[in-house]
């Protein structure tokens, strides 16, 4: 999934580098306090990943339920492309991750990004100067994680990275991960430093790409003796593959909580958007996002259909619509 700022994007190696996001924010003229007064469509975008498509679909459906005209640009591209379009005024709103604020601002080493509230506050302040508003965020942390095959986790009672470190010490772990995950100071080395373990290189199957579908399946199926894999916190295949995500109680990783980011000019015309989308995103915990992602990634359903069903079942949009 294309959730982080990467050059190339996260799924192509997840190289974390600062984004030069100094594009001038174009203002949209006019203001409307009621739906229908301003008929210019709100352009809703998302990145080209499953979770982004679902969340972008939710945003579009809620805005339409409010009676607002919407233009969809879902699956627009990786982080840099979508973020740049937002700053340039070509996009009005899209779902982004708080952790990417570290790279938008060039402050990756600031410990604030490893605290959900502190990171959210930091990027809200920084983006306010760019004419952008971060709305209410989801409580799910979709950061890098390590998942262990369910049978092994149950046998040895592995639930946290502290437990994982102990399993490494007993020689129980063989990990599938991308080269980036193994080498980046922000990934496996950060886990090793926080939990005082070292995973020997001969216990790692290092892959050139960053596709967690591959590493998760390797762990689930025991490919090349692998029993643990690099994953993201809300990957849809985790339950289906019987993988147990190791919790990170020491906060070794930057927190990635998803929130709609909207141009201030658009929010000024339609201020009720904040409350309506807040009701949606506050309910998207990790278990919910994994379940929704699985309906697309595992069951093959269409992302916006999954989004519509979820919103209707919870009374977040009406029963009629597109």
């Amino acid at each position: 999934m294309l959730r982080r700022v990467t050059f190339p994007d996260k799924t192509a190696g997840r190289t974390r580098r600062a984004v030069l996001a100094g594009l001038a924010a174009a203002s949209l003229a006019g203001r409307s306090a009621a739906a229908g007064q301003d008929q210019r469509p709100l352009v809703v975008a998302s990145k080209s990943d499953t979770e982004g498509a679902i969340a972008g679909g939710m945003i579009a459906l809620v805005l339409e339920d409010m009676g607002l005209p919407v233009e969809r640009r879902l699956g627009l591209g990786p982080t840099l492309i979508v973020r740049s379009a937002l700053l340039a005024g070509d996009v009005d709103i899209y779902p982004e991750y708080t952790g990417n604020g570290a790279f938008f601002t060039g402050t990756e080493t600031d410990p604030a990004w490893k605290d959900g509230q502190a990171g959210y506050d930091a990027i809200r302040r920084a983006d306010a100067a760019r004419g952008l508003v971060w709305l209410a965020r989801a409580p799910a942390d979709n950061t890098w994680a390590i998942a262990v095959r369910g049978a092994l986790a149950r046998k040895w009672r592995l639930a946290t990275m502290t437990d994982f470190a102990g399993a490494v010490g007993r020689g129980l772990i063989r990990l599938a991960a991308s080269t980036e995950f193994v080498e980046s100071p922000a990934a496996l080395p950060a886990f090793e430093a926080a939990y005082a373990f070292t995973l020997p290189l001969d216990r790692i199957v290092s892959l050139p790409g960053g596709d967690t579908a591959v590493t998760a399946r390797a762990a689930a199926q025991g490919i090349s003796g692998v029993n643990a894999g690099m994953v993201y916190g809300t990957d849809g295949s985790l339950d289906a593959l019987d993988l147990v995500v190791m919790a990170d109680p020491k906060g070794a990783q930057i927190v990635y909580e998803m929130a709609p980011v909207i141009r201030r000019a658009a929010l000024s015309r339609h201020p009720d958007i904040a409350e309506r989308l807040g009701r949606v995103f506050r309910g998207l915990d990790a278990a919910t996002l994994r379940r929704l992602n699985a309906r697309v990634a595992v069951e093959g359903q269409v992302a916006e259909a999954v989004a519509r069903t979820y919103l209707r079942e919870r009374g977040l949009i009406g029963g009629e619509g597109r």
Side-chain angles (χ1 to χ4, degrees):
M1 298 183 179
L2 309 181
R3 289 189 277 272
R4 315 291 190 269
V5 174
T6 59
F7 292 87
D9 205 84
K10 177 179 157 186
T11 53
R14 196 175 178 182
T15 303
R16 298 182 172 195
R17 301 176 186 170
V19 173
L20 299 178
L23 300 175
S27 295
L28 298 177
R31 181 184 181 90
S32 171
Q37 284 184 295
D38 186 344
Q39 289 303 311
R40 286 172 296 170
L42 288 164
V43 181
V44 179
S46 78
K47 304 179 196 180
S48 48
D49 64 277
T50 297
E51 189 163 284
I54 293 171
M58 288 183 181
I59 292 171
L61 289 165
V62 168
L63 298 187
E64 288 176 335
D65 193 65
M66 295 173 64
L68 303 176
V70 168
E71 178 183 337
R72 286 166 171 75
R73 294 188 187 173
L74 305 182
L76 182 60
T79 299
L80 180 60
I81 289 175
V82 187
R83 167 81 172 181
S84 297
L86 182 73
L87 287 164
D90 297 326
V91 163
D92 290 302
I93 184 170
Y94 82 99
E96 183 54 274
Y97 292 86
T98 57
N100 277 338
F103 309 99
F104 297 152
T105 58
T107 57
E108 300 95 315
T109 60
D110 189 334
W113 300 109
K114 295 184 178 182
D115 177 275
Q117 186 65 52
Y120 177 66
D121 291 342
I123 189 56
R124 287 185 74 192
R125 287 193 299 270
D127 268 359
R130 301 181 177 106
L132 306 180
V133 180
W134 284 69
L135 304 181
R137 70 194 194 277
D141 182 6
N142 192 19
T143 192
W144 256 332
I146 293 175
V148 173
R149 189 186 306 170
L152 181 68
R154 289 185 288 272
K155 178 179 179 179
W156 292 95
R157 298 182 181 180
L158 307 180
T160 72
M161 285 304 300
T162 300
D163 303 328
F164 182 86
V168 169
R170 291 191 292 271
L172 299 175
I173 299 299
R174 188 169 177 82
L175 175 74
S178 68
T179 303
E180 174 71 13
F181 182 83
V182 174
E183 296 179 354
S184 171
L188 180 59
F191 279 130
E192 291 177 321
Y195 295 96
F197 73 92
T198 300
L199 188 60
L201 290 178
D202 63 3
R203 305 294 297 174
I204 299 173
V205 176
S206 186
L207 306 173
D211 189 350
T212 58
V214 176
T215 55
R217 192 165 297 279
Q221 297 178 350
I223 297 171
S224 300
V226 165
N227 54 23
M230 169 195 81
V231 300
Y232 303 135
T234 59
D235 276 351
S237 64
L238 295 174
D239 291 340
L241 293 175
D242 188 24
L243 295 175
V244 178
V245 177
M246 300 291 98
D248 178 18
K250 294 185 179 180
Q253 295 295 306
I254 288 176
V255 174
Y256 287 86
E257 294 174 329
M258 181 172 56
V261 186
I262 187 170
R263 292 177 54 77
R264 184 185 298 119
L267 184 61
S268 296
R269 295 199 309 274
H270 309 291
D272 290 348
I273 288 174
E275 189 275 332
R276 286 291 302 269
L277 291 181
R279 290 167 53 196
V280 173
F281 277 76
R282 290 189 186 98
L284 296 177
D285 58 20
T288 299
L289 283 174
R290 286 177 190 168
R291 185 170 64 253
L292 297 177
N293 287 333
R295 290 177 183 171
V296 177
V298 179
E299 299 173 16
Q301 297 184 37
V302 176
E304 187 159 327
V306 170
R308 183 182 294 107
T309 298
Y310 174 83
L311 294 173
R312 286 178 177 172
E313 288 176 348
R314 284 151 186 79
L316 295 168
I317 61 171
E320 301 299 325
R322 301 174 74 237

